[in-house]
């Protein structure tokens, strides 16, 4: 790929940025003077980046690597959050640089960033992009993490790693030891070069197993974006915490965030109180559940739990500051299609969630004939007496 793109290539990408890449590829012969296959790959990558990195996707001066690198990159929202954790540091090394989204955001709050990427072509792309973005405090190194640390001999305030999460056959991994690089194995080397390490992992990895593998976890963050867990961050240091505190973070569409702190000791001490559904229903956000706060979230907000394994809560008075979705319960019904449709409009639409229920959402919809949409929310679950019920709800009216 030529840096920068020739003007004719730039015009082609800009003109077709929202078109179907497969259709563009079939029409390549209409543009014999352009490298259409490569430009189509640029368009595909930009389309994938539109949600994660909208400012980059619209920047015609940037070059995009293959779409997989974009898929694995941090979003602007999560990269900004990570950068805030290391703000004020003098020097940080991003040892698994990838597309450079994290390095670019670190550079806004750290004096000097070393971007390390073993894919030489990708590191060239990132070096070009950083120049186009006007970022001057990032040094680009085409190297792997181990070689860079051993050859540089430098000391850093922070090291950042985002290990590759797929095995050689392309399958997803569930243990850190199966990722590349193998962070647990590298801990002695990493801690010789920095007092603090920030590690990003996939939500697929088991948190308890990761804490055991790493043995140096001081605290961790479970990061969700609009109620979908995107990544788990671990701060590692010379001395681990006995019970590392976990912060469940939900970054919301309106720019606000919901935080909830939990640790295993507090969770173990929490004693849930149970009750039948009352006036309000509470569904903890996904970050809280991933962090393992199945009991302490109810205790913290003085809520009653519907059933041990449902992880749904209720109250007679509104707890408007609850970190999750809040609904007003209109009725409790059997999981029967005609009965439930009597609460719906003529189109028979509702949003459906199944929790501790023997059917998936898709199976529930097929059996009841209820379509997606509308203003009613159905929670199919098991109640305190072991009965299969559906809570018919609407979103709670919250002040402000």
């Amino acid at each position: 790929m030529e840096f920068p793109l020739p003007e004719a290539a730039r015009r082609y990408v800009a003109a077709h940025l929202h078109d179907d890449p497969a259709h563009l590829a079939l029409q390549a012969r209409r543009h014999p003077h352009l490298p259409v296959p490569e430009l189509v790959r640029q368009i595909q990558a930009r389309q994938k980046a539109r949600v994660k990195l909208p400012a980059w996707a619209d920047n015609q001066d940037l070059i995009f690597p293959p779409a997989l690198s974009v898929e694995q990159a941090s979003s602007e929202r999560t990269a900004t959050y990570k950068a805030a954790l290391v703000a004020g540091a003098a020097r940080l090394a991003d040892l698994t640089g990838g597309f450079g989204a994290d390095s670019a955001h670190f550079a806004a709050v750290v004096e000097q960033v070393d971007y390390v990427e073993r894919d030489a072509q990708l590191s060239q792309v990132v070096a070009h992009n950083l120049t186009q973005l006007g970022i001057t405090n990032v040094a680009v190194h085409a190297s792997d993490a181990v070689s860079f640390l051993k050859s540089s001999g430098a000391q850093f305030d922070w090291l950042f790693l985002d290990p590759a999460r797929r095995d050689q056959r392309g399958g997803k991994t569930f243990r850190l030891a199966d990722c590349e690089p193998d962070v647990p194995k590298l801990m002695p080397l990493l801690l010789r070069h920095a007092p603090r390490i920030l590690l990003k992992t996939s939500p697929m990895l088991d948190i308890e197993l990761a804490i055991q593998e790493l043995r140096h976890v001081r605290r961790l963050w479970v990061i969700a974006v609009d109620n979908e867990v995107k990544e788990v961050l671990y701060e590692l240091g010379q001395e681990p915490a006995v019970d590392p505190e976990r912060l469940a973070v939900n970054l919301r569409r309106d720019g606000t965030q919901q935080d909830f702190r939990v640790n295993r000791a507090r969770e173990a001490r929490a004693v849930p109180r149970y009750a039948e559904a009352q006036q309000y229903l509470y569904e903890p956000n996904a970050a809280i559940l991933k962090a393992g706060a199945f009991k302490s979230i109810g205790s913290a907000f003085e809520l009653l739990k519907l059933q041990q394994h449902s992880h749904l809560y209720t109250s007679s008075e509104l707890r408007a500051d609850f970190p999750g979705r809040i609904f007003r319960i209109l009725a409790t019904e059997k999981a029967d299609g005609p009965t439930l449709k009597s609460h719906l409009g003529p189109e028979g639409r509702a949003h459906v969630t199944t929790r501790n229920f023997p059917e998936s959402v898709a199976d529930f919809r097929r059996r009841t004939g209820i379509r997606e949409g509308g203003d009613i929310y159905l929670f199919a679950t098991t109640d305190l007496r072991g009965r299969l019920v559906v809570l018919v709800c609407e979103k709670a009216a919250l002040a402000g």
Side-chain angles (χ1 to χ4, degrees):
M1 173 59 66
E2 186 177 349
F3 296 171
L5 287 178
E7 186 58 33
R10 288 164 59 96
R11 289 199 301 269
Y12 179 90
V13 170
H16 297 287
L17 194 54
H18 303 289
D19 294 344
D20 179 7
H23 182 67
L24 295 175
L26 293 174
Q27 295 183 327
R29 66 182 63 182
R30 297 184 181 182
H31 308 276
H33 60 294
L34 291 175
V36 172
E38 179 55 44
L39 297 181
V40 168
R41 286 192 287 272
Q42 287 288 304
I43 291 169
Q44 285 178 310
R46 286 178 182 271
Q47 289 176 351
K48 287 186 177 293
R50 182 155 298 282
V51 174
K52 276 189 169 185
L53 299 160
W56 288 22
D58 291 332
N59 189 329
Q60 292 298 314
D61 294 325
L62 304 186
I63 299 295
F64 278 68
L68 179 61
S69 295
V70 178
E71 290 176 4
Q72 295 175 339
S74 294
S75 68
E76 286 183 6
R77 296 171 77 179
T78 59
T80 299
Y81 190 90
K82 285 193 288 289
L85 300 179
V86 302
R91 191 173 184 185
L92 174 148
D94 180 350
L95 297 177
T96 50
F99 187 32
D102 286 315
S103 285
H105 285 78
F106 289 143
V109 296
V110 174
E111 290 181 25
Q112 174 65 40
V113 175
D114 290 87
Y115 162 97
V116 181
E117 172 54 52
R118 63 182 180 179
D119 183 329
Q121 185 173 7
L122 181 55
S123 67
Q124 289 179 337
V125 168
V126 171
H128 166 82
N129 288 346
L130 291 172
T131 299
Q132 298 304 313
L133 292 167
I135 298 173
T136 59
N137 60 330
V138 177
V140 174
H141 309 271
S143 178
D144 64 83
V146 174
S147 299
F148 169 75
L149 290 176
K150 289 183 176 179
S151 62
S152 73
Q155 292 295 309
F156 302 88
D157 297 292
W158 285 91
L159 298 177
F160 173 72
L161 296 100
D162 177 10
R165 300 180 295 275
R166 298 180 185 273
D167 63 23
Q168 294 179 347
R169 298 179 301 278
K172 292 184 177 180
T173 57
F174 299 91
R175 299 174 64 249
L176 275 168
D178 297 327
C179 294
E180 177 62 35
D182 183 346
V183 175
K185 183 179 179 180
L186 293 179
M187 284 303 298
L189 173 65
L190 299 174
L191 289 172
R192 283 200 296 271
H193 287 269
R196 291 179 293 183
I197 300 161
L198 186 62
L199 175 67
K200 168 188 168 183
T201 73
S202 161
M204 297 295 293
L205 268 69
D206 182 274
I207 289 177
E208 305 305 331
L209 182 57
I211 291 172
Q212 294 175 23
E213 287 184 284
L214 292 165
R215 296 184 297 180
H216 288 268
V217 178
R218 298 179 60 184
R219 60 181 62 89
L220 64 90
W221 300 260
V222 179
I223 310 297
V225 176
D226 295 328
N227 205 33
E228 181 182 353
V229 179
K230 295 295 187 180
E231 57 194 51
V232 181
L233 307 174
Y234 300 81
E235 181 188 335
L236 313 176
Q238 298 287 347
E239 298 295 332
V242 175
D243 181 9
E245 187 171 65
R246 307 163 194 217
L247 183 63
V249 180
N250 183 36
L251 305 174
R252 299 197 290 184
R253 188 176 291 106
D254 62 4
T256 62
Q257 69 185 55
Q258 298 171 324
D259 296 342
F260 184 72
R261 295 184 183 277
V262 62
N263 57 44
R264 291 187 67 183
R266 192 179 304 134
E267 179 69 14
R269 290 194 303 267
V271 178
R273 294 183 298 139
Y274 297 94
E276 302 287 350
Q278 300 186 0
Q279 186 172 358
Y280 294 99
L281 180 74
Y282 303 83
E283 181 190 35
N285 68 50
I288 289 172
L289 297 179
K290 178 64 180 178
F294 302 120
K295 299 185 297 181
S296 53
I297 182 66
S299 300
F301 289 88
E302 299 181 335
L303 301 176
L304 305 168
K305 199 169 188 182
L306 292 183
Q307 205 267 354
Q308 181 181 358
H309 302 294
S310 69
H311 308 317
L312 294 170
Y313 300 83
T314 189
S315 71
S316 58
E317 296 182 359
L318 179 62
R319 303 284 190 268
D321 56 344
F322 179 80
R325 297 198 298 173
I326 308 174
F327 301 89
R328 189 168 71 89
I329 300 174
L330 304 175
T332 300
E333 301 285 10
K334 294 181 180 179
D336 173 72
T339 302
L340 294 173
K341 284 184 176 179
S342 69
H343 294 278
L344 311 180
E347 295 186 350
R349 295 182 180 274
H351 304 276
V352 176
T353 298
T354 58
R355 282 283 179 84
N356 191 22
F357 194 80
E359 289 179 319
S360 67
V361 171
D363 289 339
F364 182 92
R365 288 192 183 281
R366 277 192 292 269
R367 181 175 60 80
T368 61
I370 294 173
R371 298 193 292 169
E372 173 66 25
D375 297 322
I376 296 297
Y377 294 77
L378 303 179
F379 285 82
T381 189
T382 303
D383 73 4
L384 191 55
R385 290 183 277 177
R387 300 175 303 177
L388 299 181
V389 297
V390 178
L391 304 177
V392 182
C393 305
E394 63 182 4
K395 280 194 172 180
L398 305 177

